[in-house]
Amino acid sequence: MTIRVDRDGETTIVTIDRPEARNAVDPRMADELFKAFVAFERDEASKVAVLTGVPGAFSAGFDLKHAAGGIDDSWFAEHDLDASFDGDDDRPRKGPMGPTRLLLSKPVIAAVSGPAVAGGMELALWCDLRVMEASAYMGVYCRRWGVPLIDGGTVRLPRIVGHGRAMDLILTGRQVKAGECLEMGLANRVCEDGSSLETALEIARELARFPQACMRADRISAIRQWSLGPEAALANEWKSVAAFRKEGLAGAGRFAAGKGRSGDFEEI
């Protein structure tokens, strides 16, 4: 077994378990990762997912030994995005690393120990939040092998850290340790070694307690605004009024009833 799926209450935990290859992902594993996150999306009882690797590595990226053995044209055709694809297309699409072309309605947190490099970094960038252990690191390590970023790295990295910093990482392929990742916004939290999964689960439990419709509406609006002009983005944001009607009015009622200072998590 190289991909494990477990549950912690309302959180789905997806673990890459191939320590002998530093959790490098081959096509079969990518397919398993894709299916795991499609299943998470469809599971109404699961509110947040955590993506991690067995301790010591998040993922060293795509399995280059497998690639060296030969990838036929069918692999390239499977992952080719035709001209009709755009950011509003929500059809399930598999990326080279698996779930990286899915636009989920629910948040995913990366729990990173050791390397998250090359395609492994692209997996982490796909996640909404990244928790890194103190000794963990990222980097476009595929630079040294002449392998380009083809699974979202050149798109998501500039949007997360800004163009200038992204170009530094993309062009040099240098190692970026956890502290620098936190400084540039690439990591959201840095924790002690051995604690990334539990830290990510703590965050996941917090997110699961919030009214879900409003949180998900804000999340998807923030994602979609990248492909829209200001007016269209504001119009799209206004669609969240449906979530306000569903949850916000009830929340306003709890606030008015005296819960404003305590900010309780009473079920709506």
Side-chain angles (χ1 to χ4, degrees):
M1 180 182 297
T2 51
I3 303 298
R4 299 200 320 266
V5 180
D6 303 290
R7 285 291 289 270
D8 179 273
E10 296 174 303
T11 301
T12 294
I13 305 169
V14 180
T15 304
I16 306 172
D17 188 355
R18 194 188 177 198
E20 71 279 5
R22 308 215 80 182
N23 293 332
V25 173
D26 62 25
R28 181 184 60 81
M29 294 168 63
D31 188 58
E32 291 180 9
L33 282 171
F34 174 80
K35 290 176 179 176
F37 281 101
V38 170
F40 160 67
E41 174 70 9
R42 294 171 177 171
D43 183 357
E44 296 183 0
S46 187
K47 297 178 178 178
V48 185
V50 172
L51 174 59
T52 190
V54 292
F58 181 75
S59 174
F62 190 77
D63 186 350
L64 294 184
K65 290 184 179 180
H66 176 88
I71 295 179
D72 59 29
D73 289 343
S74 65
W75 183 88
F76 291 97
E78 178 184 8
H79 300 294
D80 186 29
L81 291 173
D82 60 40
S84 66
F85 176 77
D86 62 46
D88 292 327
D89 188 342
D90 291 338
R91 287 178 294 162
R93 292 175 179 271
K94 185 170 63 176
M97 293 292 291
T100 39
R101 290 175 182 164
L102 291 174
L103 177 57
L104 305 181
S105 66
K106 299 180 284 188
V108 180
I109 303 169
V112 180
S113 65
V117 297
M121 183 176 181
E122 290 180 297
L123 270 178
L125 294 174
W126 171 73
C127 299
D128 297 280
L129 300 173
R130 286 155 294 281
V131 174
M132 297 183 68
E133 296 181 4
S135 64
Y137 57 92
M138 295 193 188
V140 185
Y141 276 29
C142 50
R143 178 61 54 242
R144 64 193 68 178
W145 308 116
V147 176
L149 295 169
I150 55 173
D151 212 5
T154 63
V155 178
R156 294 186 175 109
L157 185 60
R159 294 181 180 191
I160 293 170
V161 303
H163 185 79
R165 282 174 164 162
M167 292 303 285
D168 174 16
L169 273 57
I170 290 169
L171 295 178
T172 68
R174 66 182 179 84
Q175 183 184 89
V176 190
K177 296 182 179 180
E180 186 179 2
C181 288
L182 182 65
E183 180 184 348
M184 68 172 61
L186 187 49
N188 300 95
R189 306 278 195 284
V190 171
C191 59
E192 295 181 358
D193 286 352
S195 66
S196 60
L197 178 57
E198 185 53 42
T199 301
L201 287 173
E202 289 174 2
I203 298 171
R205 294 175 195 128
E206 291 178 6
L207 299 187
R209 296 177 70 198
F210 287 123
Q212 293 295 295
C214 287
M215 183 184 72
R216 293 177 190 178
D218 283 348
R219 173 186 172 276
I220 206 68
S221 177
I223 292 171
R224 289 210 181 277
Q225 62 83 27
W226 285 105
S227 62
L228 301 172
E231 290 186 4
L234 289 169
N236 186 68
E237 182 188 60
W238 178 246
K239 295 178 182 178
S240 298
V241 73
F244 179 64
R245 284 175 172 152
K246 180 179 180 179
E247 293 179 342
L249 292 176
R254 297 206 323 275
F255 179 92
K259 299 293 186 179
R261 289 185 180 275
S262 61
D264 79 319
F265 284 89
E266 178 183 339
E267 291 289 338
I268 294 177

